[in-house]
Structure formats: structure tokens, C-alpha cells
Amino acid sequence: MSTGNIFISLVLGALAFGFVFIKFPETMSHILDAASALKAWLTSLGLSNEYNNWMRVLLEERQLVFMGFTIMMRLLLSLVTYSVSRLFDRS
């Protein structure tokens, strides 16, 4: 069940990303700016160049935003499944 939960949260995260991207472009612009600031902060932590270069290559703004949407969907899905399971436990 947890594997399905992860897969569904990835799909829902992608759908939420696309929805915000299309319907709320100004909000997505602010989110991408925040992701850019997070990347700049992470790469300015004073790590050695060996690790800092990996951070620059692997962390892109759109990946950070997609991870954020996926985490939000995972939390929302967990709350929904918890509520449904509590509802069936009472019956």
C-alpha cells in the first residue's frame, strides 16, 4: 500500500504542478523564485567545491518545486487515508 501511496503522490504532485503552472502563472513565478533562492542558499553554505558542484548540477528550480508539490500531495494523501481508515474503524 505504501508503494501505491508514493506513486499516487507523484502523479498528484505532477498534476498539481501543471495545474498551478497553467492556472496561476504569477503564483508559479513566485514559487520558482523561492526555489531559486533556496538553491542559492544551499550552494552558499560553504561546502567544498566537490560537493557544491553536485548541488548545483542536481538541484534545479523546477525539481525543487516538483519535490515540494509531491511532498504536499503525500501529506494530503496521508491525511485522507488516515481519515478514511479512522472512519471505517468506527463502523
Side-chain angles (χ1 to χ4, degrees), residues 51-88:
Y51 299 112
N52 210 12
N53 288 338
W54 280 108
M55 295 278 275
R56 285 184 184 159
V57 168
L58 295 176
L59 291 180
E60 293 183 12
E61 288 82 3
R62 66 179 179 268
Q63 291 172 339
L64 289 171
V65 172
F66 178 67
M67 282 190 288
F69 276 105
T70 303
I71 290 169
M72 285 189 336
M73 288 299 124
R74 173 105 176 158
L75 290 172
L76 182 66
L77 194 59
S78 295
L79 288 172
V80 168
T81 56
Y82 175 74
S83 299
V84 169
S85 70
R86 293 284 291 177
L87 183 66
F88 285 120

PDB file of all heavy atoms in Angstrom, residues 51-88:
ATOM      1  N   TYR A  51      31.408  19.063  -3.366  1.00  0.00           N
ATOM      2  CA  TYR A  51      30.000  18.861  -3.034  1.00  0.00           C
ATOM      3  C   TYR A  51      29.116  19.976  -3.602  1.00  0.00           C
ATOM      4  O   TYR A  51      27.984  19.734  -3.998  1.00  0.00           O
ATOM      5  CB  TYR A  51      29.815  18.768  -1.522  1.00  0.00           C
ATOM      6  CG  TYR A  51      30.571  17.621  -0.914  1.00  0.00           C
ATOM      7  CD1 TYR A  51      31.646  17.844  -0.069  1.00  0.00           C
ATOM      8  CD2 TYR A  51      30.221  16.314  -1.201  1.00  0.00           C
ATOM      9  CE1 TYR A  51      32.347  16.791   0.472  1.00  0.00           C
ATOM     10  CE2 TYR A  51      30.915  15.250  -0.663  1.00  0.00           C
ATOM     11  CZ  TYR A  51      31.978  15.495   0.179  1.00  0.00           C
ATOM     12  OH  TYR A  51      32.672  14.444   0.708  1.00  0.00           O
ATOM     13  N   ASN A  52      29.640  21.168  -3.624  1.00  0.00           N
ATOM     14  CA  ASN A  52      28.868  22.310  -4.105  1.00  0.00           C
ATOM     15  C   ASN A  52      28.522  22.154  -5.594  1.00  0.00           C
ATOM     16  O   ASN A  52      27.420  22.513  -6.016  1.00  0.00           O
ATOM     17  CB  ASN A  52      29.649  23.600  -3.867  1.00  0.00           C
ATOM     18  CG  ASN A  52      28.749  24.772  -3.650  1.00  0.00           C
ATOM     19  OD1 ASN A  52      27.553  24.631  -3.465  1.00  0.00           O
ATOM     20  ND2 ASN A  52      29.330  25.956  -3.669  1.00  0.00           N
ATOM     21  N   ASN A  53      29.438  21.625  -6.379  1.00  0.00           N
ATOM     22  CA  ASN A  53      29.162  21.413  -7.801  1.00  0.00           C
ATOM     23  C   ASN A  53      28.059  20.379  -7.989  1.00  0.00           C
ATOM     24  O   ASN A  53      27.227  20.514  -8.883  1.00  0.00           O
ATOM     25  CB  ASN A  53      30.430  20.984  -8.536  1.00  0.00           C
ATOM     26  CG  ASN A  53      31.412  22.129  -8.678  1.00  0.00           C
ATOM     27  OD1 ASN A  53      31.025  23.290  -8.618  1.00  0.00           O
ATOM     28  ND2 ASN A  53      32.670  21.800  -8.846  1.00  0.00           N
ATOM     29  N   TRP A  54      28.053  19.349  -7.147  1.00  0.00           N
ATOM     30  CA  TRP A  54      26.977  18.354  -7.228  1.00  0.00           C
ATOM     31  C   TRP A  54      25.638  18.981  -6.886  1.00  0.00           C
ATOM     32  O   TRP A  54      24.614  18.679  -7.497  1.00  0.00           O
ATOM     33  CB  TRP A  54      27.253  17.171  -6.297  1.00  0.00           C
ATOM     34  CG  TRP A  54      28.216  16.191  -6.878  1.00  0.00           C
ATOM     35  CD1 TRP A  54      29.497  15.981  -6.495  1.00  0.00           C
ATOM     36  CD2 TRP A  54      27.977  15.306  -7.968  1.00  0.00           C
ATOM     37  NE1 TRP A  54      30.063  15.021  -7.281  1.00  0.00           N
ATOM     38  CE2 TRP A  54      29.155  14.571  -8.191  1.00  0.00           C
ATOM     39  CE3 TRP A  54      26.869  15.056  -8.780  1.00  0.00           C
ATOM     40  CZ2 TRP A  54      29.256  13.615  -9.189  1.00  0.00           C
ATOM     41  CZ3 TRP A  54      26.978  14.086  -9.780  1.00  0.00           C
ATOM     42  CH2 TRP A  54      28.161  13.389  -9.965  1.00  0.00           C
ATOM     43  N   MET A  55      25.630  19.862  -5.895  1.00  0.00           N
ATOM     44  CA  MET A  55      24.393  20.559  -5.520  1.00  0.00           C
ATOM     45  C   MET A  55      23.888  21.399  -6.690  1.00  0.00           C
ATOM     46  O   MET A  55      22.691  21.414  -6.977  1.00  0.00           O
ATOM     47  CB  MET A  55      24.618  21.462  -4.310  1.00  0.00           C
ATOM     48  CG  MET A  55      24.971  20.731  -3.042  1.00  0.00           C
ATOM     49  SD  MET A  55      23.555  20.092  -2.207  1.00  0.00           S
ATOM     50  CE  MET A  55      23.089  21.528  -1.299  1.00  0.00           C
ATOM     51  N   ARG A  56      24.776  22.095  -7.361  1.00  0.00           N
ATOM     52  CA  ARG A  56      24.381  22.931  -8.487  1.00  0.00           C
ATOM     53  C   ARG A  56      23.811  22.106  -9.635  1.00  0.00           C
ATOM     54  O   ARG A  56      22.847  22.500 -10.275  1.00  0.00           O
ATOM     55  CB  ARG A  56      25.569  23.724  -9.006  1.00  0.00           C
ATOM     56  CG  ARG A  56      25.958  24.869  -8.153  1.00  0.00           C
ATOM     57  CD  ARG A  56      27.074  25.619  -8.819  1.00  0.00           C
ATOM     58  NE  ARG A  56      27.550  26.675  -7.986  1.00  0.00           N
ATOM     59  CZ  ARG A  56      28.748  27.221  -8.118  1.00  0.00           C
ATOM     60  NH1 ARG A  56      29.571  26.794  -9.038  1.00  0.00           N
ATOM     61  NH2 ARG A  56      29.109  28.193  -7.329  1.00  0.00           N
ATOM     62  N   VAL A  57      24.437  20.962  -9.894  1.00  0.00           N
ATOM     63  CA  VAL A  57      24.018  20.138 -11.025  1.00  0.00           C
ATOM     64  C   VAL A  57      22.706  19.411 -10.726  1.00  0.00           C
ATOM     65  O   VAL A  57      21.814  19.349 -11.568  1.00  0.00           O
ATOM     66  CB  VAL A  57      25.125  19.120 -11.386  1.00  0.00           C
ATOM     67  CG1 VAL A  57      24.631  18.073 -12.355  1.00  0.00           C
ATOM     68  CG2 VAL A  57      26.335  19.850 -11.948  1.00  0.00           C
ATOM     69  N   LEU A  58      22.575  18.869  -9.529  1.00  0.00           N
ATOM     70  CA  LEU A  58      21.437  18.015  -9.222  1.00  0.00           C
ATOM     71  C   LEU A  58      20.187  18.774  -8.784  1.00  0.00           C
ATOM     72  O   LEU A  58      19.081  18.263  -8.943  1.00  0.00           O
ATOM     73  CB  LEU A  58      21.822  16.994  -8.152  1.00  0.00           C
ATOM     74  CG  LEU A  58      22.888  15.986  -8.582  1.00  0.00           C
ATOM     75  CD1 LEU A  58      23.254  15.088  -7.421  1.00  0.00           C
ATOM     76  CD2 LEU A  58      22.428  15.180  -9.766  1.00  0.00           C
ATOM     77  N   LEU A  59      20.360  19.935  -8.208  1.00  0.00           N
ATOM     78  CA  LEU A  59      19.202  20.692  -7.736  1.00  0.00           C
ATOM     79  C   LEU A  59      18.882  21.830  -8.705  1.00  0.00           C
ATOM     80  O   LEU A  59      19.602  22.815  -8.779  1.00  0.00           O
ATOM     81  CB  LEU A  59      19.459  21.273  -6.341  1.00  0.00           C
ATOM     82  CG  LEU A  59      19.545  20.283  -5.203  1.00  0.00           C
ATOM     83  CD1 LEU A  59      19.811  21.024  -3.907  1.00  0.00           C
ATOM     84  CD2 LEU A  59      18.277  19.483  -5.093  1.00  0.00           C
ATOM     85  N   GLU A  60      17.817  21.650  -9.425  1.00  0.00           N
ATOM     86  CA  GLU A  60      17.324  22.713 -10.283  1.00  0.00           C
ATOM     87  C   GLU A  60      16.014  23.226  -9.700  1.00  0.00           C
ATOM     88  O   GLU A  60      15.347  22.529  -8.941  1.00  0.00           O
ATOM     89  CB  GLU A  60      17.107  22.193 -11.702  1.00  0.00           C
ATOM     90  CG  GLU A  60      18.392  21.808 -12.395  1.00  0.00           C
ATOM     91  CD  GLU A  60      18.161  21.373 -13.830  1.00  0.00           C
ATOM     92  OE1 GLU A  60      17.046  21.584 -14.344  1.00  0.00           O
ATOM     93  OE2 GLU A  60      19.091  20.815 -14.415  1.00  0.00           O
ATOM     94  N   GLU A  61      15.656  24.429 -10.088  1.00  0.00           N
ATOM     95  CA  GLU A  61      14.481  25.067  -9.505  1.00  0.00           C
ATOM     96  C   GLU A  61      13.216  24.252  -9.744  1.00  0.00           C
ATOM     97  O   GLU A  61      12.424  24.028  -8.842  1.00  0.00           O
ATOM     98  CB  GLU A  61      14.314  26.483 -10.063  1.00  0.00           C
ATOM     99  CG  GLU A  61      15.330  27.478  -9.549  1.00  0.00           C
ATOM    100  CD  GLU A  61      16.662  27.423 -10.288  1.00  0.00           C
ATOM    101  OE1 GLU A  61      16.797  26.640 -11.257  1.00  0.00           O
ATOM    102  OE2 GLU A  61      17.583  28.144  -9.883  1.00  0.00           O
ATOM    103  N   ARG A  62      13.038  23.785 -10.964  1.00  0.00           N
ATOM    104  CA  ARG A  62      11.809  23.039 -11.263  1.00  0.00           C
ATOM    105  C   ARG A  62      11.765  21.715 -10.515  1.00  0.00           C
ATOM    106  O   ARG A  62      10.696  21.243 -10.140  1.00  0.00           O
ATOM    107  CB  ARG A  62      11.626  22.855 -12.761  1.00  0.00           C
ATOM    108  CG  ARG A  62      12.654  21.997 -13.415  1.00  0.00           C
ATOM    109  CD  ARG A  62      12.369  21.864 -14.913  1.00  0.00           C
ATOM    110  NE  ARG A  62      13.388  21.057 -15.535  1.00  0.00           N
ATOM    111  CZ  ARG A  62      14.491  21.536 -16.081  1.00  0.00           C
ATOM    112  NH1 ARG A  62      14.710  22.826 -16.086  1.00  0.00           N
ATOM    113  NH2 ARG A  62      15.369  20.731 -16.629  1.00  0.00           N
ATOM    114  N   GLN A  63      12.929  21.107 -10.267  1.00  0.00           N
ATOM    115  CA  GLN A  63      12.957  19.874  -9.487  1.00  0.00           C
ATOM    116  C   GLN A  63      12.582  20.132  -8.033  1.00  0.00           C
ATOM    117  O   GLN A  63      11.858  19.345  -7.423  1.00  0.00           O
ATOM    118  CB  GLN A  63      14.343  19.234  -9.545  1.00  0.00           C
ATOM    119  CG  GLN A  63      14.693  18.672 -10.896  1.00  0.00           C
ATOM    120  CD  GLN A  63      16.136  18.219 -10.953  1.00  0.00           C
ATOM    121  OE1 GLN A  63      16.965  18.655 -10.164  1.00  0.00           O
ATOM    122  NE2 GLN A  63      16.436  17.341 -11.896  1.00  0.00           N
ATOM    123  N   LEU A  64      13.069  21.226  -7.488  1.00  0.00           N
ATOM    124  CA  LEU A  64      12.718  21.578  -6.109  1.00  0.00           C
ATOM    125  C   LEU A  64      11.223  21.849  -5.983  1.00  0.00           C
ATOM    126  O   LEU A  64      10.585  21.420  -5.018  1.00  0.00           O
ATOM    127  CB  LEU A  64      13.521  22.806  -5.655  1.00  0.00           C
ATOM    128  CG  LEU A  64      15.003  22.586  -5.410  1.00  0.00           C
ATOM    129  CD1 LEU A  64      15.694  23.927  -5.182  1.00  0.00           C
ATOM    130  CD2 LEU A  64      15.227  21.674  -4.236  1.00  0.00           C
ATOM    131  N   VAL A  65      10.656  22.534  -6.966  1.00  0.00           N
ATOM    132  CA  VAL A  65       9.220  22.830  -6.929  1.00  0.00           C
ATOM    133  C   VAL A  65       8.414  21.545  -7.067  1.00  0.00           C
ATOM    134  O   VAL A  65       7.443  21.330  -6.333  1.00  0.00           O
ATOM    135  CB  VAL A  65       8.846  23.850  -8.033  1.00  0.00           C
ATOM    136  CG1 VAL A  65       7.345  24.024  -8.127  1.00  0.00           C
ATOM    137  CG2 VAL A  65       9.518  25.187  -7.759  1.00  0.00           C
ATOM    138  N   PHE A  66       8.829  20.658  -7.975  1.00  0.00           N
ATOM    139  CA  PHE A  66       8.124  19.393  -8.129  1.00  0.00           C
ATOM    140  C   PHE A  66       8.215  18.563  -6.842  1.00  0.00           C
ATOM    141  O   PHE A  66       7.224  17.952  -6.427  1.00  0.00           O
ATOM    142  CB  PHE A  66       8.688  18.604  -9.316  1.00  0.00           C
ATOM    143  CG  PHE A  66       8.030  17.272  -9.507  1.00  0.00           C
ATOM    144  CD1 PHE A  66       6.701  17.191  -9.882  1.00  0.00           C
ATOM    145  CD2 PHE A  66       8.728  16.104  -9.299  1.00  0.00           C
ATOM    146  CE1 PHE A  66       6.081  15.966 -10.050  1.00  0.00           C
ATOM    147  CE2 PHE A  66       8.121  14.867  -9.458  1.00  0.00           C
ATOM    148  CZ  PHE A  66       6.796  14.802  -9.836  1.00  0.00           C
ATOM    149  N   MET A  67       9.370  18.550  -6.210  1.00  0.00           N
ATOM    150  CA  MET A  67       9.501  17.837  -4.928  1.00  0.00           C
ATOM    151  C   MET A  67       8.559  18.418  -3.885  1.00  0.00           C
ATOM    152  O   MET A  67       7.935  17.684  -3.115  1.00  0.00           O
ATOM    153  CB  MET A  67      10.943  17.899  -4.415  1.00  0.00           C
ATOM    154  CG  MET A  67      11.870  16.948  -5.095  1.00  0.00           C
ATOM    155  SD  MET A  67      13.486  16.826  -4.295  1.00  0.00           S
ATOM    156  CE  MET A  67      14.224  18.378  -4.702  1.00  0.00           C
ATOM    157  N   GLY A  68       8.439  19.743  -3.862  1.00  0.00           N
ATOM    158  CA  GLY A  68       7.533  20.385  -2.912  1.00  0.00           C
ATOM    159  C   GLY A  68       6.084  20.010  -3.152  1.00  0.00           C
ATOM    160  O   GLY A  68       5.349  19.694  -2.208  1.00  0.00           O
ATOM    161  N   PHE A  69       5.666  20.023  -4.418  1.00  0.00           N
ATOM    162  CA  PHE A  69       4.292  19.622  -4.733  1.00  0.00           C
ATOM    163  C   PHE A  69       4.055  18.153  -4.387  1.00  0.00           C
ATOM    164  O   PHE A  69       2.996  17.788  -3.879  1.00  0.00           O
ATOM    165  CB  PHE A  69       3.981  19.873  -6.214  1.00  0.00           C
ATOM    166  CG  PHE A  69       3.556  21.269  -6.514  1.00  0.00           C
ATOM    167  CD1 PHE A  69       4.421  22.153  -7.132  1.00  0.00           C
ATOM    168  CD2 PHE A  69       2.284  21.710  -6.183  1.00  0.00           C
ATOM    169  CE1 PHE A  69       4.041  23.445  -7.418  1.00  0.00           C
ATOM    170  CE2 PHE A  69       1.887  23.006  -6.465  1.00  0.00           C
ATOM    171  CZ  PHE A  69       2.767  23.879  -7.079  1.00  0.00           C
ATOM    172  N   THR A  70       5.036  17.308  -4.648  1.00  0.00           N
ATOM    173  CA  THR A  70       4.896  15.887  -4.343  1.00  0.00           C
ATOM    174  C   THR A  70       4.799  15.659  -2.843  1.00  0.00           C
ATOM    175  O   THR A  70       3.971  14.858  -2.373  1.00  0.00           O
ATOM    176  CB  THR A  70       6.080  15.099  -4.932  1.00  0.00           C
ATOM    177  OG1 THR A  70       6.128  15.335  -6.341  1.00  0.00           O
ATOM    178  CG2 THR A  70       5.945  13.627  -4.665  1.00  0.00           C
ATOM    179  N   ILE A  71       5.594  16.370  -2.063  1.00  0.00           N
ATOM    180  CA  ILE A  71       5.533  16.239  -0.609  1.00  0.00           C
ATOM    181  C   ILE A  71       4.188  16.723  -0.089  1.00  0.00           C
ATOM    182  O   ILE A  71       3.582  16.093   0.791  1.00  0.00           O
ATOM    183  CB  ILE A  71       6.704  16.996   0.049  1.00  0.00           C
ATOM    184  CG1 ILE A  71       8.016  16.263  -0.242  1.00  0.00           C
ATOM    185  CG2 ILE A  71       6.499  17.144   1.552  1.00  0.00           C
ATOM    186  CD1 ILE A  71       9.249  17.044   0.117  1.00  0.00           C
ATOM    187  N   MET A  72       3.693  17.837  -0.639  1.00  0.00           N
ATOM    188  CA  MET A  72       2.376  18.328  -0.217  1.00  0.00           C
ATOM    189  C   MET A  72       1.280  17.317  -0.539  1.00  0.00           C
ATOM    190  O   MET A  72       0.394  17.075   0.278  1.00  0.00           O
ATOM    191  CB  MET A  72       2.062  19.670  -0.886  1.00  0.00           C
ATOM    192  CG  MET A  72       2.805  20.825  -0.305  1.00  0.00           C
ATOM    193  SD  MET A  72       2.305  22.467  -0.863  1.00  0.00           S
ATOM    194  CE  MET A  72       1.560  22.229  -2.433  1.00  0.00           C
ATOM    195  N   MET A  73       1.344  16.721  -1.716  1.00  0.00           N
ATOM    196  CA  MET A  73       0.340  15.717  -2.086  1.00  0.00           C
ATOM    197  C   MET A  73       0.475  14.467  -1.225  1.00  0.00           C
ATOM    198  O   MET A  73      -0.518  13.842  -0.864  1.00  0.00           O
ATOM    199  CB  MET A  73       0.463  15.341  -3.569  1.00  0.00           C
ATOM    200  CG  MET A  73       0.001  16.417  -4.500  1.00  0.00           C
ATOM    201  SD  MET A  73      -1.747  16.797  -4.241  1.00  0.00           S
ATOM    202  CE  MET A  73      -1.671  18.529  -3.921  1.00  0.00           C
ATOM    203  N   ARG A  74       1.690  14.125  -0.869  1.00  0.00           N
ATOM    204  CA  ARG A  74       1.904  12.953   0.007  1.00  0.00           C
ATOM    205  C   ARG A  74       1.275  13.199   1.376  1.00  0.00           C
ATOM    206  O   ARG A  74       0.624  12.330   1.948  1.00  0.00           O
ATOM    207  CB  ARG A  74       3.400  12.692   0.126  1.00  0.00           C
ATOM    208  CG  ARG A  74       3.773  11.653   1.099  1.00  0.00           C
ATOM    209  CD  ARG A  74       4.174  10.405   0.456  1.00  0.00           C
ATOM    210  NE  ARG A  74       4.597   9.506   1.530  1.00  0.00           N
ATOM    211  CZ  ARG A  74       4.620   8.239   1.415  1.00  0.00           C
ATOM    212  NH1 ARG A  74       4.290   7.689   0.301  1.00  0.00           N
ATOM    213  NH2 ARG A  74       4.995   7.494   2.416  1.00  0.00           N
ATOM    214  N   LEU A  75       1.479  14.397   1.922  1.00  0.00           N
ATOM    215  CA  LEU A  75       0.875  14.742   3.207  1.00  0.00           C
ATOM    216  C   LEU A  75      -0.647  14.756   3.119  1.00  0.00           C
ATOM    217  O   LEU A  75      -1.339  14.224   3.998  1.00  0.00           O
ATOM    218  CB  LEU A  75       1.387  16.099   3.690  1.00  0.00           C
ATOM    219  CG  LEU A  75       2.845  16.154   4.120  1.00  0.00           C
ATOM    220  CD1 LEU A  75       3.257  17.599   4.381  1.00  0.00           C
ATOM    221  CD2 LEU A  75       3.071  15.311   5.358  1.00  0.00           C
ATOM    222  N   LEU A  76      -1.175  15.352   2.063  1.00  0.00           N
ATOM    223  CA  LEU A  76      -2.626  15.402   1.872  1.00  0.00           C
ATOM    224  C   LEU A  76      -3.201  13.997   1.713  1.00  0.00           C
ATOM    225  O   LEU A  76      -4.221  13.665   2.321  1.00  0.00           O
ATOM    226  CB  LEU A  76      -2.955  16.260   0.654  1.00  0.00           C
ATOM    227  CG  LEU A  76      -4.432  16.466   0.346  1.00  0.00           C
ATOM    228  CD1 LEU A  76      -5.085  17.274   1.467  1.00  0.00           C
ATOM    229  CD2 LEU A  76      -4.589  17.178  -0.969  1.00  0.00           C
ATOM    230  N   LEU A  77      -2.533  13.170   0.940  1.00  0.00           N
ATOM    231  CA  LEU A  77      -2.991  11.800   0.743  1.00  0.00           C
ATOM    232  C   LEU A  77      -2.927  11.007   2.046  1.00  0.00           C
ATOM    233  O   LEU A  77      -3.815  10.206   2.336  1.00  0.00           O
ATOM    234  CB  LEU A  77      -2.147  11.128  -0.340  1.00  0.00           C
ATOM    235  CG  LEU A  77      -2.644   9.826  -0.922  1.00  0.00           C
ATOM    236  CD1 LEU A  77      -4.018  10.007  -1.544  1.00  0.00           C
ATOM    237  CD2 LEU A  77      -1.663   9.317  -1.953  1.00  0.00           C
ATOM    238  N   SER A  78      -1.901  11.240   2.843  1.00  0.00           N
ATOM    239  CA  SER A  78      -1.801  10.572   4.142  1.00  0.00           C
ATOM    240  C   SER A  78      -2.934  10.988   5.069  1.00  0.00           C
ATOM    241  O   SER A  78      -3.501  10.158   5.782  1.00  0.00           O
ATOM    242  CB  SER A  78      -0.458  10.879   4.804  1.00  0.00           C
ATOM    243  OG  SER A  78       0.592  10.346   4.053  1.00  0.00           O
ATOM    244  N   LEU A  79      -3.265  12.276   5.072  1.00  0.00           N
ATOM    245  CA  LEU A  79      -4.383  12.743   5.892  1.00  0.00           C
ATOM    246  C   LEU A  79      -5.706  12.132   5.445  1.00  0.00           C
ATOM    247  O   LEU A  79      -6.532  11.745   6.275  1.00  0.00           O
ATOM    248  CB  LEU A  79      -4.472  14.268   5.851  1.00  0.00           C
ATOM    249  CG  LEU A  79      -3.397  15.033   6.614  1.00  0.00           C
ATOM    250  CD1 LEU A  79      -3.509  16.522   6.323  1.00  0.00           C
ATOM    251  CD2 LEU A  79      -3.501  14.775   8.088  1.00  0.00           C
ATOM    252  N   VAL A  80      -5.903  12.034   4.140  1.00  0.00           N
ATOM    253  CA  VAL A  80      -7.140  11.457   3.615  1.00  0.00           C
ATOM    254  C   VAL A  80      -7.228   9.973   3.960  1.00  0.00           C
ATOM    255  O   VAL A  80      -8.274   9.499   4.429  1.00  0.00           O
ATOM    256  CB  VAL A  80      -7.244  11.687   2.090  1.00  0.00           C
ATOM    257  CG1 VAL A  80      -8.359  10.851   1.477  1.00  0.00           C
ATOM    258  CG2 VAL A  80      -7.448  13.162   1.788  1.00  0.00           C
ATOM    259  N   THR A  81      -6.143   9.234   3.745  1.00  0.00           N
ATOM    260  CA  THR A  81      -6.184   7.800   4.059  1.00  0.00           C
ATOM    261  C   THR A  81      -6.331   7.562   5.555  1.00  0.00           C
ATOM    262  O   THR A  81      -7.015   6.619   5.961  1.00  0.00           O
ATOM    263  CB  THR A  81      -4.932   7.078   3.534  1.00  0.00           C
ATOM    264  OG1 THR A  81      -3.767   7.704   4.056  1.00  0.00           O
ATOM    265  CG2 THR A  81      -4.895   7.064   2.024  1.00  0.00           C
ATOM    266  N   TYR A  82      -5.722   8.414   6.372  1.00  0.00           N
ATOM    267  CA  TYR A  82      -5.882   8.289   7.820  1.00  0.00           C
ATOM    268  C   TYR A  82      -7.332   8.540   8.211  1.00  0.00           C
ATOM    269  O   TYR A  82      -7.913   7.801   9.013  1.00  0.00           O
ATOM    270  CB  TYR A  82      -4.954   9.267   8.539  1.00  0.00           C
ATOM    271  CG  TYR A  82      -5.144   9.278  10.036  1.00  0.00           C
ATOM    272  CD1 TYR A  82      -4.681   8.231  10.822  1.00  0.00           C
ATOM    273  CD2 TYR A  82      -5.806  10.334  10.660  1.00  0.00           C
ATOM    274  CE1 TYR A  82      -4.856   8.228  12.189  1.00  0.00           C
ATOM    275  CE2 TYR A  82      -5.995  10.342  12.026  1.00  0.00           C
ATOM    276  CZ  TYR A  82      -5.520   9.296  12.788  1.00  0.00           C
ATOM    277  OH  TYR A  82      -5.706   9.301  14.149  1.00  0.00           O
ATOM    278  N   SER A  83      -7.934   9.582   7.635  1.00  0.00           N
ATOM    279  CA  SER A  83      -9.333   9.904   7.957  1.00  0.00           C
ATOM    280  C   SER A  83     -10.271   8.785   7.522  1.00  0.00           C
ATOM    281  O   SER A  83     -11.191   8.420   8.262  1.00  0.00           O
ATOM    282  CB  SER A  83      -9.748  11.206   7.276  1.00  0.00           C
ATOM    283  OG  SER A  83      -8.952  12.268   7.718  1.00  0.00           O
ATOM    284  N   VAL A  84     -10.041   8.234   6.341  1.00  0.00           N
ATOM    285  CA  VAL A  84     -10.885   7.145   5.849  1.00  0.00           C
ATOM    286  C   VAL A  84     -10.716   5.896   6.713  1.00  0.00           C
ATOM    287  O   VAL A  84     -11.696   5.233   7.057  1.00  0.00           O
ATOM    288  CB  VAL A  84     -10.586   6.855   4.365  1.00  0.00           C
ATOM    289  CG1 VAL A  84     -11.255   5.569   3.898  1.00  0.00           C
ATOM    290  CG2 VAL A  84     -11.023   8.022   3.501  1.00  0.00           C
ATOM    291  N   SER A  85      -9.483   5.598   7.095  1.00  0.00           N
ATOM    292  CA  SER A  85      -9.271   4.410   7.937  1.00  0.00           C
ATOM    293  C   SER A  85      -9.891   4.592   9.318  1.00  0.00           C
ATOM    294  O   SER A  85     -10.434   3.642   9.886  1.00  0.00           O
ATOM    295  CB  SER A  85      -7.783   4.093   8.054  1.00  0.00           C
ATOM    296  OG  SER A  85      -7.125   5.072   8.832  1.00  0.00           O
ATOM    297  N   ARG A  86      -9.840   5.784   9.862  1.00  0.00           N
ATOM    298  CA  ARG A  86     -10.495   6.047  11.161  1.00  0.00           C
ATOM    299  C   ARG A  86     -12.006   5.946  11.042  1.00  0.00           C
ATOM    300  O   ARG A  86     -12.673   5.482  11.951  1.00  0.00           O
ATOM    301  CB  ARG A  86     -10.109   7.437  11.665  1.00  0.00           C
ATOM    302  CG  ARG A  86      -8.659   7.624  12.051  1.00  0.00           C
ATOM    303  CD  ARG A  86      -8.343   7.003  13.345  1.00  0.00           C
ATOM    304  NE  ARG A  86      -9.015   7.766  14.405  1.00  0.00           N
ATOM    305  CZ  ARG A  86      -8.976   7.435  15.663  1.00  0.00           C
ATOM    306  NH1 ARG A  86      -8.317   6.388  16.056  1.00  0.00           N
ATOM    307  NH2 ARG A  86      -9.611   8.155  16.548  1.00  0.00           N
ATOM    308  N   LEU A  87     -12.543   6.379   9.907  1.00  0.00           N
ATOM    309  CA  LEU A  87     -13.969   6.299   9.673  1.00  0.00           C
ATOM    310  C   LEU A  87     -14.426   4.843   9.607  1.00  0.00           C
ATOM    311  O   LEU A  87     -15.443   4.487  10.200  1.00  0.00           O
ATOM    312  CB  LEU A  87     -14.334   7.020   8.371  1.00  0.00           C
ATOM    313  CG  LEU A  87     -15.804   7.101   8.019  1.00  0.00           C
ATOM    314  CD1 LEU A  87     -16.533   7.973   9.025  1.00  0.00           C
ATOM    315  CD2 LEU A  87     -15.972   7.645   6.620  1.00  0.00           C
ATOM    316  N   PHE A  88     -13.670   3.992   8.936  1.00  0.00           N
ATOM    317  CA  PHE A  88     -14.032   2.578   8.842  1.00  0.00           C
ATOM    318  C   PHE A  88     -13.782   1.838  10.150  1.00  0.00           C
ATOM    319  O   PHE A  88     -14.434   0.825  10.418  1.00  0.00           O
ATOM    320  CB  PHE A  88     -13.309   1.901   7.703  1.00  0.00           C
ATOM    321  CG  PHE A  88     -13.868   2.247   6.347  1.00  0.00           C
ATOM    322  CD1 PHE A  88     -13.090   2.854   5.388  1.00  0.00           C
ATOM    323  CD2 PHE A  88     -15.206   1.975   6.059  1.00  0.00           C
ATOM    324  CE1 PHE A  88     -13.609   3.174   4.158  1.00  0.00           C
ATOM    325  CE2 PHE A  88     -15.736   2.286   4.822  1.00  0.00           C
ATOM    326  CZ  PHE A  88     -14.938   2.889   3.868  1.00  0.00           C
TER     327      PHE A  88
END
